[in-house]
Every structure is written in C-alpha cells, then in structure tokens.
Amino acid sequence: MREAPQPPCSPPRPGRPRRTPRNGRCRPGCGVRDRSEGPRRRSTGGSPEAPIPYRDLVRDERRPTKLEGNEKVAALKGTHLVLGSLSATVPKIRPVRATIRRNALPLRLVWSLQLKGVAIVGLGGYAAQHHAAFERLEAAGLCQVVATCDPVLDSARVPTYRSLDEMLGRHANELDVVTLPVPVPLHAPMHRQVVDMGLACYLEKPPTLWWPEYEAMMAVESRAVRPTQVGFNFIGDPFRQGIKARIDAGEFGKLKDASLLAVWPRDDKYYARASWAGRKTLSGKPVLDNPLGNAMAHHVQNLLFLSGANEIVEVRARLLRAHPIESFDTAFVSAQLPSGVELRFAATHADSGAHFERETLTFENAKVVFTAWNRAEIHRDGNVEHLVSEIPNHGAMLEHNLAAYLDGIAPTPLSACGPFVSLIDLAFLSSGGVQPIAPSRITQRDGKVSVDGLFDDLNAFAEDGIWPAAPGPSVTPEALFTLQPDRLLADWT
C-alpha cells in the first residue's frame, strides 16, 4: 500500500514562522527541522550547532534574533510551570525588555516572552525574601533586577536609591514590574506611584485594611497597564487551585459552612517591631493592624477563595486583646455569604504554645480540611484522601508566584480583595470596640501571653459556631460608607 502523501509545509511569510504539518515532520528534503528540535543559533556554515534553551537565548543574546524552532521554552527552576510551544519572531532582545509585533501573539504571551526589568522596594524584612526569589529567577533568565530603594540599607547587587521617587526617576524606562514588600501604610501611595508610571505592580498582602482606602486604590487600578497582583501566595499554588477546581465542578456537593482556626503565638517583640504594629491608627491615618488582616491574612483569603466569596452580606464579631495594644489580638468573626453559607474565623496571637492552623470546608458529600498551608485531607464516605503541595517551602511559594506574575498571571488581583477588606472593617464595626480579656485569665512568660481556656473557646466557635460571649450586632456592607478615621479611637477602643 502506498503511503498517503504528506502535505507540504507552508512557504515562509514575512514576519511569521514557517509552519509544518501536524505530525511535526515535513517530506524528505524539505529542510524544516523536526518539532522536537529546539532553537539554534544561526550558523554561517559547517554542522548545525546544538539546540539552546530559550531562556539562555534571552539572557545571552543582545542582537536581532529569529527563533526558528517550535519549542521556545522558558524553563523555570524547581516547581515552576514551563511555557508551552510557541512560535514567534522576536526582533531585538534588549538588555531589559523585548519588543514583539503587536499582532504576532496574544498579549499575555507577548508579555511572557519579554525579559522583565524588575525593581524591588525595600531591602530589610520581607523584602529580603523578594530579593532572594528574584535572584533565582534572574539566574533562570526570566528577569533582570534593575534597581532597589531603601531609606537606610544598601544592596551589593544593584543600584540602591533612598526613595521610590528617585528610583523611578532614574529607571522607569527600563522597568516592567515593581514589587512592594513594604509596610502596609505605604501600600496605597506607592501603588499609585507605580501605576501612574505605567508599570505593573506586585503588592504584598494585605493591600489595605481600610475600606475607603481600598476604594481609592481601585480607582487608581482602573488606569493600570496590568492588574496588580496581591501577594496572597497560597492561592496560586497548583495544589490549592486543583482543589478549588474540584469544588467548582461540584464533586463534593454544595458548601454548607467553612471555618478557620488559627493560633499563632506572638510576643512583645512582634508588636515592638514597627510603629504601626498592633495599632488602629498611625499619625491620624487608619492602620487597623490585627491577626486576621495581617499575619493570618493568607488563611482568611484562602477561605474566601475556596468558598467562592465574591461578597460579604453580613458580619458579627467579638474582638478581644490580651496584649497591651490598641487593636485586637483575638477574634471571633462570623460572615455570611449571599448563598446563606456562614464562614467562621477564630484566631489569636495570645498564646505561648505551638503554631497551629486549620481551614475546614464542610460540603454535602465531603469535608475538606487543610491541616497546614501545604497539606489537605478530603474526608468522604469513611475514607480520607491526603493531598500535599509540591512546593516545598514559603520561599519557593513566593518564587512561584513572582514567576507567574512575570508570565502575566495574577491569581489574586487587587480587584478580588474587596471581600477581604470589607470583612475586616465590618468586624470592627460589629464588635463595638476591642474588649480587654480579664487579667485573671492571662499568664505572661518570656514576653508571650496565654489565656486560660482560650483554645477551647476558639475551637468551639470554629467547629460549632458557639460564641464565648454575646457578639456585637449584625452589620452589612452599607455600614462601610459610614467609616470615619477620626472615630476609630473614640468608638473602637
């Protein structure tokens, strides 16, 4: 039997790569390489050179280059995803960014093919983790860290400036992304500066804890060139995204309720580390620092994400403090979704024992329990399915999310943070004020405090909705429009 003739490959067209048949091979003598062959440096003669990874080509080549193969792969280290097969003609690869014909590829793919110019605001604290992650991403050829700024510290790797203004003034035309691992009170003004310079912004969590400020940030965001990503890192983990997909597919039935139980001990040094720590206001401006909004914010957002909470319709809360601070360190909060599902948040920093957290979602046909940020159990029909994230630690998680943002992906854009911010403010409003825990229940040791019987109270509330004492009245989102900064200390003491 004669073989069916293979279709010829398409002739080359200006600005477009040569196409091959679906099986990836052309007829003998055609001269077009197999799909499995990677891009090669153009040779002037002799035997062909070995294929090179696309990331190496981006990092090393600084001249007009045509990528001829179909496997144009930007391989990320470790747990990162790999860009699939792309076909594109990339004109000049510049030291910082590449320019690609506007109609050559979809916008996100165009963005992903560019070598990103990155600036990091800050050097100390959590900013050091950003520098470490970007150093690895830079070694993989996915970005170039152009500059940083810090009022005190200096970087040994890149130019350092004393302010964001100065850094943007010197390097804005070399940048694509600016990351803001800075104190929460600086988020809104720095986000505005970055967006107004036409740059993409990666903003650490929480974006803000004050609803009027969030609305102002969203007004700024409306003119952003790309959605701002907020650093709720766990949301971007494929492990958690996979569970979310199963929930949305209806595998477990309808959601009945969900809860967070979190005990994260914090000592006096934690509240002394920054002028805004444990405060409700700073220099007359709202801060509202608290466990749910800051240290445990990842887990609060996890629960909102997994439960599909696009809106909070009602909140009741009881907020307490054992540490000598303005804000609360212990919370009992109930939030109702439009579907009638109740979310319960039970959290404290007032403990001297071990770190503990548990996210629980109860469905009609199963119970999903996150026993840690990277581990989950699915209880169904007497069986337990154990799931573990492939991302090994928090540093790798941050690197994964930063790499995704460089690739044009924002798992938790600023626009998705409305329920989170409203939850915090409505809890303050419902509580009627932060109540001190009775001194007779408090034990102090080594700068830490613990409260007699508190874990049992928190667990009873998270599991069964049993309040330790009467909560404040129910409040709805309409109350957010009555927020006034000058009433924070007077009404919420």
Side-chain angles (χ1 to χ4, degrees):
M1 179 181 297
R2 294 181 60 187
E3 295 183 358
Q6 297 189 35
C9 46
S10 64
R13 299 173 62 185
R16 297 188 183 180
R18 185 190 303 266
R19 293 186 299 173
T20 61
R22 290 185 179 180
N23 62 7
R25 296 180 181 275
C26 297
R27 61 182 182 274
C30 175
V32 176
R33 291 194 302 276
D34 183 270
R35 287 181 186 267
S36 63
E37 295 179 308
R40 298 176 177 174
R41 292 186 174 92
R42 188 171 296 179
S43 176
T44 57
S47 60
E49 300 180 32
I52 60 171
Y54 174 68
R55 66 182 187 193
D56 290 341
L57 185 141
V58 171
R59 184 169 66 247
D60 296 335
E61 300 294 313
R62 305 298 186 218
R63 60 181 182 274
T65 307
K66 185 173 182 178
L67 306 184
E68 298 178 358
N70 286 318
E71 292 290 335
K72 298 172 177 65
V73 176
L76 302 179
K77 288 186 175 180
T79 58
H80 300 315
L81 300 176
V82 175
L83 289 175
S85 297
L86 307 175
S87 294
T89 297
V90 181
K92 185 176 181 180
I93 303 293
R94 298 174 181 169
V96 173
R97 62 176 75 182
T99 56
I100 304 177
R101 290 177 62 246
R102 181 174 299 176
N103 62 347
L105 287 171
L107 180 59
R108 197 183 73 75
L109 293 183
V110 170
W111 172 269
S112 69
L113 282 172
Q114 297 176 351
L115 179 65
K116 309 302 184 305
V118 174
I120 306 166
V121 179
L123 282 161
Y126 195 62
Q129 300 297 320
H130 276 239
H131 281 272
F134 273 117
E135 186 173 354
R136 295 188 292 269
L137 293 173
E138 191 171 26
L142 301 174
C143 66
Q144 177 181 339
V145 179
V146 175
T148 187
C149 62
D150 191 284
V152 178
L153 303 175
D154 290 298
S155 170
R157 297 184 61 244
V158 295
T160 306
Y161 300 91
R162 292 296 172 233
S163 70
L164 177 58
D165 282 336
E166 185 181 8
M167 183 182 72
L168 293 179
R170 296 287 188 89
H171 297 283
N173 64 342
E174 303 171 58
L175 297 173
D176 297 284
V177 176
V178 177
T179 72
L180 299 177
V182 298
V184 179
L186 299 178
H187 282 187
M190 287 190 170
H191 168 258
R192 182 177 63 252
Q193 285 180 269
V194 172
V195 168
D196 286 347
M197 290 298 292
L199 302 173
C201 180
Y202 186 101
L203 182 67
E204 266 308 327
K205 61 82 186 167
T208 177
L209 297 175
W210 181 242
W211 182 260
E213 187 170 63
Y214 176 72
E215 288 192 310
M217 292 176 73
M218 284 305 301
V220 171
E221 185 72 359
S222 67
R223 54 184 184 265
V225 294
R226 291 186 60 235
T228 294
Q229 163 67 7
V230 178
F232 288 110
N233 294 339
F234 300 154
I235 303 299
D237 189 346
F239 148 77
R240 197 171 290 266
Q241 288 281 341
I243 295 175
K244 171 65 170 172
R246 295 171 68 179
I247 292 172
D248 290 346
E251 179 179 338
F252 311 127
K254 292 183 178 180
L255 179 65
K256 297 170 64 177
D257 62 50
S259 66
L260 168 66
L261 173 59
V263 178
W264 288 21
R266 292 293 187 266
D267 59 14
D268 294 341
K269 294 179 181 178
Y270 175 80
Y271 288 108
R273 80 191 191 283
S275 59
W276 51 269
R279 300 285 299 274
K280 290 189 289 187
T281 63
L282 183 65
S283 301
K285 296 182 179 180
V287 176
L288 303 184
D289 183 48
N290 66 84
L292 294 177
N294 195 351
M296 304 169 187
H298 286 296
H299 298 282
V300 174
Q301 181 64 20
N302 288 347
L303 213 63
L304 294 170
F305 168 70
L306 292 169
S307 62
N310 296 319
E311 181 185 1
I312 302 292
V313 298
E314 183 180 291
V315 170
R316 301 182 75 191
R318 181 170 174 79
L319 306 180
L320 309 170
R321 62 165 170 255
H323 290 90
I325 57 175
E326 284 182 1
S327 188
F328 64 89
D329 58 27
T330 301
F332 299 83
V333 179
S334 169
Q336 190 175 57
L337 305 184
S339 62
V341 170
E342 182 188 24
L343 309 183
R344 295 185 294 275
F345 303 87
T348 189
H349 282 332
D351 194 270
S352 58
H355 182 111
F356 176 85
E357 74 228 7
R358 184 179 68 220
E359 302 167 32
T360 305
L361 296 99
T362 303
F363 297 88
E364 291 175 322
N365 305 320
K367 178 178 285 191
V368 179
V369 182
F370 290 83
T371 57
W373 66 270
N374 59 348
R375 295 179 181 274
E377 299 172 353
I378 299 177
H379 299 255
R380 178 169 43 180
D381 299 330
N383 300 313
V384 180
E385 178 184 354
H386 295 273
L387 301 172
V388 180
S389 170
E390 294 183 359
I391 299 180
N393 53 55
H394 289 282
M397 180 71 76
L398 173 62
E399 184 181 346
H400 175 88
N401 279 270
L402 292 172
Y405 194 57
L406 291 176
D407 192 28
I409 301 170
T412 310
L414 181 62
S415 59
C417 296
F420 172 86
V421 179
S422 67
L423 172 70
I424 301 301
D425 286 8
L426 291 174
F428 267 106
L429 287 169
S430 172
S431 71
V434 179
Q435 304 298 320
I437 295 175
S440 59
R441 297 182 63 189
I442 299 174
T443 301
Q444 298 186 1
R445 187 174 63 182
D446 298 330
K448 293 182 179 180
V449 301
S450 59
V451 179
D452 183 44
L454 179 58
F455 182 85
D456 292 338
D457 290 344
L458 293 166
N459 189 56
F461 179 72
E463 289 292 300
D464 303 313
I466 300 174
W467 293 90
S474 297
V475 293
T476 61
E478 288 73 18
L480 296 172
F481 299 102
T482 67
L483 293 175
Q484 298 293 330
D486 58 358
R487 294 177 54 189
L488 281 178
L489 287 176
D491 294 357
W492 298 358
T493 301

